[in-house]
Amino acid sequence: MNNYLILGFTLGVFFVSSCKTEKAAVQQVTEITNKAESDSLAGEDKFKILKLIREKESLISGYQASAKRDFDLLHTDLDLAFDWKRQAVIGKARLKLVPFFYPQKELVLDAKDFEVGAIFLLKGENQNKLNYRYDEKQLRIYLPEFFTSKDTFEVEINYTAFPERNSGSGSEAITDNKGLYFIDPLDTIPGKPSMIWTQGETEHNSKWFPTIDKPNERFTQLFKLTVPDSMISVSNGELIKQEKIGNGLRIDHWEMKLPHAPYLAAIAIGNFGKVEAKWRDIPLGYYVEKGFEKGASKVFENTPEMIGFFEEKLGVNFPWPKYDQIVVRDFVSGAMENTTASIFMEELRLDVREAIDSEWDYIIAHELFHQWFGDLVTTESWANLTLNEAFANYSEYLWNEHKYGNDQAALKLVTEMEGYFAEAETKQVDLIRFNYADSEDMFDSHSYNKGGVILHMLRKHLGDEAFFKGLNEYLVKHAFQSVEVHDLRLAFEKVSGEDLNWFFNQWFLDKGHPELFFEVDYSQPDNILISAYQIQDLESNPLFQLPIEVSWYENEMRKTKTLKMTRAFQQLALENGTPVTQVYIDEGKNLLARRTQEVSAGQYAVQFKESSLGVARYEALDSLVVREAKDQLLEILPLALKDDFWSVRENVLGYLQNDPEWRTQIMGLEEMVYDLAEKDPKNSVRAAAIDLLATWDSDKYQTTFFRLSNDSSYLIASSALMGLVGAAENPVELSVIERFATDRNFRITIPVAEYYILQGVAGKGKWFLDRLDQLSGEGLYYYLGYFSEYFSRYPEEGEISAKAKLLSQMENNSKSYLRRGAFLALLSFADDQEIIAQISRLVDKETDQELKNYYNYFLDTLK
């Protein structure tokens, strides 16, 4: 028998077998469908069968696969000029590509809202014109012949891009999708600089240059940017050349020699000032509007230390040739981790005095850590987004732990958990999920908050040495590559020698979280018995394997024991030996779980007094306040004011504002608060103490408030000024307040506005209108209520202009929370039917559905 006969016989058997299997499968599906449609089944059973079929079909049809790679995009060369009047990008793109594996004759590029000119195939000095088809989203280029994986070729595309066309809403994290933004392009807004910046994530860079706009693509690049001589450009990589071309223009050449994903390409153009710094031989640049350089030095001053800290933890040096951080106006996100050139929202644009109280380390660390996790090693699909964002989220914990201590880091972790739990009330999905409607849907508290906490739990499980060595293995092995979640698991398994499928399956590849109920039996003080129950819905959530840490104190020494929970109900005999009267479950708040346990007010008081963990003392104080446990609070409040953890001190001061009776019930309390106002090392605590003194007796402390209103810290000065304004018996003189009226910081503006409103100061309409134009971000949000209050009380001061400005904010502000703030401010004029009609018009135009629902709730109430 020859080979051909053997092959034929084998294939024959295969086809027969396959045919039988197919027929059986068809028959089975037909029977199921017929059953569902027949009258022999009860209606409920029919519904269940059909629902099951539709769910299974939906999983297939809705599956968002990683992008198929027909080509490998090797290099992108862009020659760009900018038409500021038309808000257009005039571009010439040269792309170097090679078929990924299979021969190809058509090249499909993402190119949204272009006007496309000639396209050429480049061969040396020769140009061969190519035919193409364009549907406003993708550009299909017809190659003259099949190219194989051995054929590298170049195409040139001439185009004009219009980012403004068909722009719309993005996600919770990224609020728009233009890709490239012209800010005040014709310089028509007083006090607002003209600039250009980009925001490419998820797939928005194809709004300004043609590319394969997928996260599993990587290329090197050379961007040649024609910019005004008066402006500075910043982009990925290094500035290798600048050439003046006349007419007040210059071409800047930015070269990126190391490959990165398309969404990480970026440019920023503006009249920036630059602060220069360095980490070893890596140049660092902090770009801000001119006049804010000294503030930027303070805001970004920890960047070199952060890089060194992350390098030490990861065992991988900063992988890029430089690192710039650029602060821009009207950014559509908090920040974006473009390779070597992170862009930040304008809230980080602070002068030197504002920067004293800067608390932006968390976002600076977040974007910096992305340079390793996201830029060096990149998610291969948006389904795996948490491989970028969980790490960046967890970097905030790592930096807090290193720079500010375990207590602050632990409280930050609790904040992340609460953000996830709030979302989980209405949304519980797999962390890694391929069935999403839009890639923007992945930017949620699952990918960020939950992912970060999961990494923390994995670190606790493996131990620091194995955890960070696993990260090193992951980064080194996959440098300049795209990854999926199994790559991360395998790296940790290689280092630890442990099968971690159980951990990844329950946390990364499933949804939900544990809901735990605990009972503690103290009847044998030397052998405490703990009963633990998992009570989450097991039809939709996994039964989790969990480490439950139990801790207690013996002679002020903290001791622990861990229960490995693998069942729905388990018991742990502590075998503590030395009798104890109180134990703590997950005292450090390291477990992503909702916990229920009967804890008395007396036990919380003991917890506050004996716990060595600031986050546990914070929890105890908070719980006593919620319970209004006055007997225990009489003892705990003075202790809280002296607590080592600043957040506990700040929290108790805020609570005391809500109940003025404590002032007389605790001996020496007022003196303790005054001492904090004068001497606490944390400015936010001093400000909270001043706020409390003002609540208790604003007139009594006028001398102190006057002195502190000139403090260098805006937090302290603002609280002191508000205390001055609040005096009832002897209101502060107008001349005193006028000294502060020219200060443009919102923390000073608000107490001045409060004074003008309370004292009915006439002639301040222009001041209020000017301030609205000058403020932005959170400062504008807080100011809007004062603005509308003044003009609703004193319409003769410019009510018509005030209404017009609020309507403009509600219609045009790019930030949804500021549109919401303008809407709420407009409700001060709700008795004006014309205003209600205008509001309703803007509600109909609102593209953010959640915000639109919010508007309609209030409008329905008004009606």
Side-chain angles (χ1 to χ4, degrees), residues 475-644:
L475 289 171
V476 170
K477 181 175 182 179
H478 301 290
F480 305 108
Q481 297 175 21
S482 56
V483 289
E484 60 179 335
V485 70
H486 301 296
D487 295 313
L488 182 64
R489 174 179 57 80
L490 291 169
F492 282 121
E493 288 184 344
K494 180 178 178 181
V495 167
S496 68
E498 178 184 349
D499 186 332
L500 291 169
N501 275 291
W502 65 272
F503 185 93
F504 279 75
N505 286 344
Q506 68 183 22
W507 288 117
F508 284 93
L509 301 172
D510 214 327
K511 61 185 175 181
H513 52 267
E515 294 183 16
L516 306 176
F517 175 70
F518 295 102
E519 292 179 319
V520 183
D521 182 354
Y522 290 100
S523 61
Q524 287 185 261
D526 59 349
N527 189 16
I528 305 296
L529 181 66
I530 296 170
S531 299
Y533 305 80
Q534 292 195 48
I535 59 175
Q536 68 270 15
D537 181 359
L538 296 181
E539 288 191 359
S540 56
N541 295 274
L543 183 68
F544 288 86
Q545 299 183 52
L546 302 167
I548 309 294
E549 184 188 74
V550 181
S551 55
W552 66 97
Y553 290 84
E554 295 179 10
N555 299 320
E556 299 184 355
M557 292 291 293
R558 184 173 185 266
K559 298 195 172 184
T560 65
K561 192 168 187 177
T562 299
L563 161 68
K564 182 67 180 291
M565 192 172 189
T566 58
R567 300 195 295 274
F569 168 70
Q570 273 178 255
Q571 289 185 310
L572 169 68
L574 204 55
E575 299 177 346
N576 43 294
T578 302
V580 295
T581 57
Q582 190 154 324
V583 299
Y584 306 102
I585 299 169
D586 191 29
E587 183 186 11
K589 306 295 172 285
N590 294 306
L591 195 61
L592 184 66
R594 284 293 199 192
R595 297 179 304 135
T596 303
Q597 182 186 352
E598 288 188 16
V599 181
S600 69
Q603 288 174 314
Y604 275 126
V606 171
Q607 176 176 324
F608 187 91
K609 288 185 288 185
E610 76 171 358
S611 179
S612 62
L613 306 182
V615 69
R617 297 195 303 277
Y618 189 99
E619 176 196 38
L621 174 64
D622 204 48
S623 299
L624 291 171
V625 166
V626 169
R627 294 184 181 203
E628 299 182 351
K630 294 211 167 185
D631 290 343
Q632 286 74 28
L633 285 170
L634 279 168
E635 178 187 14
I636 297 303
L637 292 177
L639 297 176
L641 289 172
K642 297 177 182 178
D643 196 89
D644 290 339

Side-chain angles (χ1 to χ4, degrees), residues 122-135:
L122 306 180
K123 289 186 176 181
E125 297 298 319
N126 298 323
Q127 291 185 341
N128 296 326
K129 198 168 185 179
L130 298 175
N131 293 322
Y132 63 87
R133 191 170 73 233
Y134 182 53
D135 65 1

Side-chain angles (χ1 to χ4, degrees), residues 105-119:
K105 198 176 179 182
E106 292 183 4
L107 169 63
V108 178
L109 299 173
D110 298 297
K112 305 181 184 84
D113 302 302
F114 287 13
E115 290 179 0
V116 181
I119 299 178

Side-chain angles (χ1 to χ4, degrees), residues 195 247 364 432 477 692 839:
M195 59 176 64
N247 296 320
I364 294 168
I432 304 294
K477 181 175 182 179
L692 179 54
I839 290 174

Side-chain angles (χ1 to χ4, degrees), residues 529-800:
L529 181 66
I530 296 170
S531 299
Y533 305 80
Q534 292 195 48
I535 59 175
Q536 68 270 15
D537 181 359
L538 296 181
E539 288 191 359
S540 56
N541 295 274
L543 183 68
F544 288 86
Q545 299 183 52
L546 302 167
I548 309 294
E549 184 188 74
V550 181
S551 55
W552 66 97
Y553 290 84
E554 295 179 10
N555 299 320
E556 299 184 355
M557 292 291 293
R558 184 173 185 266
K559 298 195 172 184
T560 65
K561 192 168 187 177
T562 299
L563 161 68
K564 182 67 180 291
M565 192 172 189
T566 58
R567 300 195 295 274
F569 168 70
Q570 273 178 255
Q571 289 185 310
L572 169 68
L574 204 55
E575 299 177 346
N576 43 294
T578 302
V580 295
T581 57
Q582 190 154 324
V583 299
Y584 306 102
I585 299 169
D586 191 29
E587 183 186 11
K589 306 295 172 285
N590 294 306
L591 195 61
L592 184 66
R594 284 293 199 192
R595 297 179 304 135
T596 303
Q597 182 186 352
E598 288 188 16
V599 181
S600 69
Q603 288 174 314
Y604 275 126
V606 171
Q607 176 176 324
F608 187 91
K609 288 185 288 185
E610 76 171 358
S611 179
S612 62
L613 306 182
V615 69
R617 297 195 303 277
Y618 189 99
E619 176 196 38
L621 174 64
D622 204 48
S623 299
L624 291 171
V625 166
V626 169
R627 294 184 181 203
E628 299 182 351
K630 294 211 167 185
D631 290 343
Q632 286 74 28
L633 285 170
L634 279 168
E635 178 187 14
I636 297 303
L637 292 177
L639 297 176
L641 289 172
K642 297 177 182 178
D643 196 89
D644 290 339
F645 186 22
W646 66 266
S647 196
V648 171
R649 301 195 301 275
E650 188 175 311
N651 190 30
V652 71
L653 288 165
Y655 166 65
L656 288 169
Q657 281 194 60
N658 300 321
D659 190 345
E661 293 182 7
W662 288 114
R663 181 186 181 195
T664 58
Q665 291 178 354
I666 299 177
M667 186 176 298
L669 182 66
E670 191 165 349
E671 289 76 12
M672 293 170 65
V673 172
Y674 184 83
D675 194 54
L676 290 175
E678 291 280 14
K679 301 175 184 177
D680 197 277
K682 185 76 173 175
N683 285 343
S684 61
V685 176
R686 291 184 67 192
I690 294 167
D691 292 338
L692 179 54
L693 293 175
T695 301
W696 281 344
D697 193 338
S698 195
D699 288 277
K700 178 179 177 179
Y701 293 100
Q702 285 293 286
T703 302
T704 300
F705 294 158
F706 183 80
R707 173 169 50 82
L708 294 178
S709 66
N710 296 296
D711 195 274
S712 59
S713 163
Y714 270 122
L715 282 175
I716 294 168
S718 174
S719 292
L721 188 56
M722 192 62 90
L724 278 177
V725 169
E729 295 177 10
N730 298 296
V732 66
E733 294 290 333
L734 175 61
S735 59
V736 174
I737 298 301
E738 294 287 29
R739 286 177 42 218
F740 299 93
T742 57
D743 195 310
R744 297 189 177 190
N745 184 274
F746 81 93
R747 297 187 189 280
I748 299 300
T749 293
I750 285 174
V752 172
E754 173 84 348
Y755 181 86
Y756 290 157
I757 292 168
L758 292 178
Q759 302 302 323
V761 180
K764 295 301 177 183
K766 185 176 185 306
W767 182 90
F768 273 91
L769 291 167
D770 289 346
R771 280 295 178 276
L772 189 76
D773 293 334
Q774 292 159 3
L775 293 172
S776 61
E778 64 169 348
L780 175 58
Y781 180 80
Y782 292 130
Y783 175 69
L784 286 169
Y786 294 90
F787 178 84
S788 62
E789 178 72 11
Y790 184 80
F791 288 106
S792 64
R793 286 196 187 192
Y794 313 110
E796 68 279 4
E797 292 289 342
E799 180 188 42
I800 294 174

Side-chain angles (χ1 to χ4, degrees), residues 820-838:
R820 182 176 68 244
F823 166 78
L824 293 172
L826 282 164
L827 294 182
S828 296
F829 308 102
D831 55 346
D832 183 342
Q833 290 305 306
E834 175 58 28
I835 281 293
I836 295 300
Q838 293 270 45

